[in-house]
Amino acid sequence: MPDGHSSSDRAPRVRIAPSPTGDPHVGTAYIALFNRAFANAEGGKFLLRIDDTDRSRYQADSEAQIFESLRWLGLSWDEGPDVGGECGPYRQSERLEIYRQKAEQLLESGAAYRCFCTPERMAELREQQKAAKQDPGYDGHCRDLPQSTIDERLSAGTTHIVRLRVPDTGQTIVHDELRDPIVFENERIDDQVLVKSDGFPTYHLANCVDDCAMGVTHVIRAEEWITSAPKHVLLYQALGEPLPKFFHVPLLRNADKSKISKRKNPVSLIWYRDQGYLPEALLNYLATLGWRSSDEREFFDYDFFQSNFRPADISLGGPVFDLEKLGWLNGMHIRALDPSDLRARLERDGFLSGVSEDGLRAIFPLVSERLHLLSDFVQLTSWYFGEPDEYNAEDLLVKKRTPEETRETLDQAEAAFAGFDAYDSESVEAFLEQCRVEWGLKKPHLFMPIRFALTGRRETPPVNDVIAVLGRERVVARLHAAKNKFC
RNA sequence: GGCCCCAUCGUCUAGUCAGGCCUAGGACACUGGGUUUUCAUCCCAGCAACGGGGGUUCAAAUCCCCCUGGGGUCACCA
């Protein structure tokens, strides 16, 4: 319960706090996965809080996309803007009054102070510090303004911000569950802005206040937050709140090891869905980036992950995101689906427009093991739902066979299948073999021309299956058309 | 650059906490082979790593130190 005394021996409460500033990010899913699995395994709660305190980067449709993407992945939340919960509201822009009160409290206790420095002065300061090769940071200009000056400026309505008063001596230690204690010298910690001049809180204030108010017990977040963690520790202390347990998870990386980015890697969850990645495959892959079960298996479902995952087991090397391996896992998961399930996925993700039920049932077995992405389905089955690919007479030629011989074979095949009526895989296979022996042909010399005639391509399911699924009418017509390529 | 984090095959990792069982295991990718009418699936085999240097120890991938390398962060963005 969010009573201000949450401790880790009670049911954990964890959260993710994405910003609605663009496409839903794969890194958000990565962190969400760890948080949700941990909370659910421990009988705790997983909360979703929208961190929309930056008005300039706010994108109206982003929030809905975050919801949709996370739901697509199955990473649902127990409390959040759209599902409610006892600690709402869960959108930070709707909690301004709370932050205002907390800021006031910090001001009164002296843990924070009002700063009237203009952006111009700050820019100038930065220039000077840069020129003097000093560390950039606030110089404390407004740290100890006399009360009379403050009152004067306030009554004049001078715009200002609120900063955290960081002690200039001593150290702040961040206890991260995955690492040794991290020691920061207070003199190197900047007086962090807590309230911006537009009255909105910064991430630092809003997050600490909310995590306290929402009873968050474990903060599992990206490693990029380590440097600001001491500021958060100081804030918790100033607020008089107990510290959560911190787990800073390594960042996903591009192939060059830099932090994963849009320019070097697909990062939008929408992209993964549109490409035909299965949610369980993406989740499975993300889970293997930094975690391994004791039996080292790499192919598993969410339930397995949830019941075996321990946050403390997360490894610390920054994992390179490898689409190649994700693709392998995706194929594995596709092959693990039963036909009706696979059909449902294809349908849901829009890869099945105008395809009949019967047609699907027939073609499924032939392509399921050839799919790496759901989107492959369209190309893999175009010869079945449509016409063969365009091809030339030369394409029908198997090495060392002349056009005359090939035409003869196609002609024989056309006649044979016109008079054949058992269009099932086994019967066709037997019939083909019978013809082959009768006509004295090597397998490739018979199968390849037929394959090409029926599909217009070299790589297809077994020819007998293609024939069976196409049926007499289409088989005969396509063999006929192929034969005529030589006229 | 300051501060902070990290460091096993090309990539994801097991092994590190409790040093010997590690001539370092698995997976992806790659290469070769098998099955086979093509492709795919599947099976078998191969390639390939403890970043470097000092310690401690009978013994170090494992513990300590230095170096190097990589990453993050230094906003009135999150």
Side-chain angles (χ1 to χ4, degrees):
Chain A
M1 287 292 97
D3 56 5
H5 298 284
S6 315
S7 59
S8 53
D9 54 333
R10 272 186 249 197
R13 291 174 61 81
V14 300
R15 51 65 176 180
I16 54 165
S19 269
T21 53
D23 280 2
H25 200 275
V26 67
T28 302
Y30 184 53
I31 298 297
L33 171 64
F34 290 150
N35 274 283
R36 184 184 194 255
F38 169 62
N40 288 171
E42 302 290 321
K45 298 291 185 207
F46 172 52
L47 337 196
L48 172 61
R49 187 171 67 218
I50 293 296
D51 204 332
D52 56 352
T53 55
D54 185 348
R55 289 169 11 201
S56 60
R57 293 203 305 159
Y58 179 76
Q59 280 183 29
D61 55 345
S62 184
E63 180 184 294
Q65 291 186 336
I66 290 170
F67 293 171
E68 191 189 330
S69 298
L70 292 175
R71 286 222 167 84
W72 168 68
L73 283 167
L75 298 174
S76 56
W77 42 100
D78 302 301
E79 298 174 28
D82 57 337
V83 298
E86 56 192 293
C87 299
Y90 293 89
R91 212 173 264 119
Q92 294 187 321
S93 59
E94 295 168 8
R95 301 172 64 81
L96 265 23
E97 180 54 23
I98 299 171
Y99 309 130
R100 200 195 58 72
Q101 284 173 16
K102 289 297 178 183
E104 196 58 43
Q105 177 191 327
L106 294 170
L107 248 12
E108 276 168 26
S109 72
Y113 62 92
R114 296 180 205 275
C115 171
F116 296 89
C117 292
T118 61
E120 291 71 34
R121 178 176 185 274
M122 289 309 295
E124 211 171 289
L125 177 63
R126 250 188 295 277
E127 282 308 307
Q128 287 171 6
Q129 289 170 330
K130 197 176 165 187
K133 293 199 185 339
Q134 290 175 315
D135 287 352
Y138 187 58
D139 61 356
H141 187 73
C142 296
R143 234 175 119 111
D144 298 301
L145 251 28
Q147 190 58 43
S148 58
T149 309
I150 296 174
D151 292 342
E152 206 172 283
R153 292 183 183 170
L154 281 182
S155 56
T158 313
T159 57
H160 66 280
I161 60 175
V162 175
R163 287 181 184 277
L164 178 65
R165 189 190 302 276
V166 177
D168 34 35
T169 59
Q171 313 176 313
T172 298
I173 300 174
V174 174
H175 292 277
D176 181 294
E177 302 299 312
L178 302 175
R179 302 170 174 77
D180 290 336
I182 308 170
V183 180
F184 295 87
E185 297 297 329
N186 288 339
E187 62 179 341
R188 321 201 65 88
I189 302 175
D190 200 11
D191 278 3
Q192 180 61 47
V193 176
L194 301 179
V195 180
K196 304 180 243 185
S197 56
D198 63 2
F200 274 66
T202 57
Y203 166 88
H204 308 282
L205 209 221
N207 259 266
C208 290
V209 167
D210 286 345
D211 282 350
C212 292
M214 297 179 180
V216 169
T217 56
H218 302 251
V219 172
I220 304 172
R221 74 205 329 182
E223 197 175 41
E224 58 189 331
W225 293 107
I226 284 187
T227 354
S228 39
K231 294 169 183 172
H232 302 164
V233 169
L234 255 13
L235 258 178
Y236 272 88
Q237 290 170 349
L239 256 8
E241 300 279 1
L243 287 167
K245 292 198 170 186
F246 289 106
F247 297 77
H248 289 98
V249 181
L251 260 11
L252 260 20
R253 310 292 185 88
N254 296 312
D256 65 4
K257 298 280 191 180
S258 57
K259 162 163 118 175
I260 196 166
S261 62
K262 199 180 353 186
R263 269 290 140 250
K264 298 175 179 174
N265 215 88
V267 294
S268 168
L269 294 174
I270 295 170
W271 183 87
Y272 288 93
R273 201 236 284 122
D274 290 349
Q275 286 296 305
Y277 287 95
L278 255 30
E280 55 267 58
L282 183 53
L283 244 28
N284 183 171
Y285 178 61
L286 253 14
T288 65
L289 262 25
W291 179 81
R292 196 106 329 183
S293 80
S294 52
D295 62 5
E296 285 197 68
R297 82 177 72 171
E298 299 188 79
F299 174 60
F300 49 79
D301 60 18
Y302 176 80
D303 289 338
F304 174 82
F305 175 66
Q306 180 175 302
S307 49
N308 290 282
F309 171 68
R310 291 289 171 277
D313 294 336
I314 294 171
S315 57
L316 296 178
V320 171
F321 193 94
D322 181 17
L323 273 180
E324 200 84 56
K325 192 152 184 178
L326 204 212
W328 167 71
L329 270 177
N330 205 55
M332 294 285 284
H333 277 95
I334 285 177
R335 272 170 251 127
L337 254 26
D338 62 62
S340 64
D341 206 357
L342 176 56
R343 190 187 67 233
R345 306 308 188 90
L346 287 165
E347 200 149 34
R348 188 178 71 172
D349 291 342
F351 298 116
L352 236 45
S353 50
V355 167
S356 77
E357 189 80 15
D358 286 349
L360 277 171
R361 196 168 309 138
I363 202 71
F364 263 143
L366 308 197
V367 298
S368 64
E369 74 184 18
R370 292 171 175 76
L371 295 172
H372 282 99
L373 301 175
L374 290 180
S375 55
D376 293 338
F377 182 82
V378 177
Q379 197 275 339
L380 249 24
T381 59
S382 64
W383 55 268
Y384 176 72
F385 291 112
E387 293 301 311
D389 294 349
E390 290 294 325
Y391 63 93
N392 302 314
E394 307 84 75
D395 294 325
L396 295 162
L397 268 32
V398 181
K399 53 185 175 185
K400 291 185 180 173
R401 290 226 94 202
T402 65
E404 291 69 29
E405 291 169 328
T406 302
R407 186 182 190 287
E408 168 68 10
T409 296
L410 288 167
D411 188 52
Q412 286 176 302
E414 181 191 343
F417 280 99
F420 181 73
D421 53 16
Y423 281 78
D424 64 86
S425 180
E426 293 72 29
S427 303
V428 172
E429 186 176 19
F431 184 59
L432 275 171
E433 181 59 11
Q434 183 190 318
C435 293
R436 188 185 71 77
V437 172
E438 202 171 297
W439 304 338
L441 295 172
K442 290 180 176 179
K443 284 184 174 181
H445 292 172
L446 175 62
F447 290 106
M448 202 40 103
I450 295 180
R451 183 190 312 284
F452 234 102
L454 300 181
T455 65
R457 61 185 75 155
R458 192 168 297 283
E459 297 156 8
T460 76
V463 169
N464 58 308
D465 287 326
V466 171
I467 291 172
V469 87
L470 243 22
R472 172 158 58 193
E473 194 180 327
R474 288 200 285 177
V475 168
V476 172
R478 291 182 188 188
L479 288 172
H480 186 76
K483 181 182 74 179
N484 287 342
K485 292 258 182 193
F486 292 102
C487 293

